[in-house]
Amino acid sequence: DAGITQSPRYKITETGRQVTLMCHQTWSHSYMFWYRQDLGHGLRLIYYSAAADITDKGEVPDGYVVSRSKTENFPLTLESATRSQTSVYFCASREGPSTDEQFFGPGTRLTVL
Amino acid sequence: DAKTTQPPSMDCAEGRAANLPCNHSTISGNEYVYWYRQIHSQGPQYIIHGLKNNETNEMASLIITEDRKSSTLILPHATLRDTAVYYCIVRVAGTSGTYKYIFGTGTRLKVLA
């Protein structure tokens, strides 16, 4: 199916465990983004990527690691999950650096116990 | 980075115009204003964007003040399906030649039958 997908959609994990959230897009968009959404904060940018093997930090990168070996995939890893990382995570993609529209995935709800 | 300020919630009668204000007093001259909306817990969806001039598309109109310190999103004939959280966003330059979105906390619009 064309579009942007995230997996898993729901995840419960424990403090200290490693968790990887997957993001896949079928448009071959160059730019991809990871956001987290918490009550009272709107969406905050974690990391973004301009192309394969090019990644940059956003507003709240601490505790997260990203990679982009293929254009279509942009996984987000929590190396040692903490309760403060309980959130809804959205992946997004965009065709170009200043393309009008950014497309968001359906989100992953992560709970860290 | 520029920030946006929005009222936390608004109500609008079905069929009437919904006017959603946004303050972005620290915006720089080349930073665009974007509007997205989020229905339930889905990923945000693009509505409209602008720099200086007023803009209109099939979904909405965007009115930007001459000093660019504030803007208003107008949904001309609100329907129940327009009930959502509306985000006013400033697009700022990031690294790697890309642009990133700075989200506000959003306005929860409730359209009343």
Side-chain angles (χ1 to χ4, degrees):
Chain A
D1 290 337
I4 183 165
T5 57
Q6 294 183 234
S7 62
R9 294 294 313 280
Y10 302 90
K11 176 73 176 180
I12 299 174
T13 190
E14 295 178 336
T15 301
R17 290 190 179 267
Q18 183 179 79
V19 177
T20 296
L21 309 183
M22 303 301 295
C23 178
H24 176 78
Q25 51 101 357
T26 61
W27 296 301
S28 297
H29 286 172
S30 296
Y31 294 83
M32 296 188 74
F33 307 82
W34 273 107
Y35 296 86
R36 60 178 290 174
Q37 184 173 34
D38 307 289
L39 283 174
H41 286 282
L43 277 79
R44 291 181 292 174
L45 182 63
I46 304 171
Y47 268 96
Y48 60 106
S49 170
D53 298 321
I54 300 175
T55 61
D56 286 295
K57 295 179 179 179
E59 302 170 74
V60 289
D62 294 342
Y64 303 95
V65 174
V66 293
S67 62
R68 188 133 180 245
S69 58
K70 292 184 178 181
T71 300
E72 61 267 29
N73 297 325
F74 191 36
L76 176 73
T77 298
L78 289 66
E79 292 190 305
S80 179
T82 65
R83 289 198 181 93
S84 65
Q85 293 177 308
T86 292
S87 186
V88 180
Y89 291 84
F90 288 99
C91 178
S93 74
R94 201 163 73 210
E95 183 176 9
S98 57
T99 306
D100 294 344
E101 187 171 355
Q102 189 163 294
F103 296 88
F104 286 82
T108 294
R109 185 175 294 275
L110 176 67
T111 301
V112 183
L113 302 176
Chain B
D1 288 345
K3 292 183 179 179
T4 63
T5 304
Q6 301 175 252
S9 64
M10 294 180 64
D11 291 341
C12 177
E14 188 178 21
R16 303 294 295 269
N19 297 280
L20 292 88
C22 178
N23 183 294
H24 33 77
S25 58
T26 60
I27 196 169
S28 297
N30 60 348
E31 292 174 343
Y32 280 73
V33 177
Y34 280 70
W35 284 82
Y36 277 68
R37 72 180 183 183
Q38 187 175 27
I39 297 174
H40 298 301
S41 298
Q42 299 173 15
Q45 299 171 312
Y46 169 81
I47 302 173
I48 198 167
H49 75 284
L51 181 63
K52 296 180 181 178
N53 300 321
N54 298 336
E55 303 288 344
T56 296
N57 62 20
E58 65 277 4
M59 289 184 66
S61 294
L62 175 60
I63 309 298
I64 302 174
T65 58
E66 192 169 345
D67 63 8
R68 298 207 333 116
K69 292 185 177 182
S70 65
S71 60
T72 301
L73 178 73
I74 301 172
L75 307 178
H77 305 287
T79 70
L80 298 178
R81 287 178 295 180
D82 291 323
T83 292
V85 177
Y86 287 78
Y87 289 102
C88 175
I89 298 160
V90 173
R91 193 192 76 177
V92 303
T95 57
S96 306
T98 190
Y99 293 90
K100 54 184 182 179
Y101 289 172
I102 305 298
F103 278 75
T105 52
T107 296
R108 185 173 297 276
L109 175 69
K110 187 174 182 179
V111 180
L112 306 172

